[in-house]
Amino acid sequence: DLARAEREWRAVQRLLPFYEPAFYGLGNVLDAQGKSTEAVQAFRGALARRPDRPEIVNGLALALAAR
């Protein structure tokens, strides 16, 4: 259930605002729901925390292309 996954990732973000996987996970869930603008924001948040992860750049690129 993508809506539940979105709620859960947002809860993790609130609890652990510096935890990059919460932003990356949320980005993937948002992108899967067709919420590409919000996914871009989440991927950018993940990238700000871990600029060395190519999968984040890839997720960001896919979300940008879907807008």
Side-chain angles (χ1 to χ4, degrees):
D1 175 8
L2 292 172
R4 181 180 173 157
E6 179 182 348
R7 288 191 304 274
E8 296 294 332
W9 279 123
R10 289 189 189 280
V12 173
Q13 279 185 334
R14 283 191 297 279
L15 293 170
L16 303 168
F18 298 105
Y19 186 59
E20 164 271 317
F23 289 82
Y24 180 68
L26 179 61
N28 283 315
V29 167
L30 291 168
D31 197 40
Q33 294 179 86
K35 299 178 180 180
S36 57
T37 299
E38 291 178 67
V40 166
Q41 293 173 338
F43 286 127
R44 285 185 174 152
L47 196 58
R49 287 156 181 81
R50 287 290 305 273
D52 60 324
R53 292 192 55 204
E55 60 271 25
I56 298 171
V57 176
N58 186 60
L60 176 59
L62 292 171
L64 284 168
R67 287 204 301 187

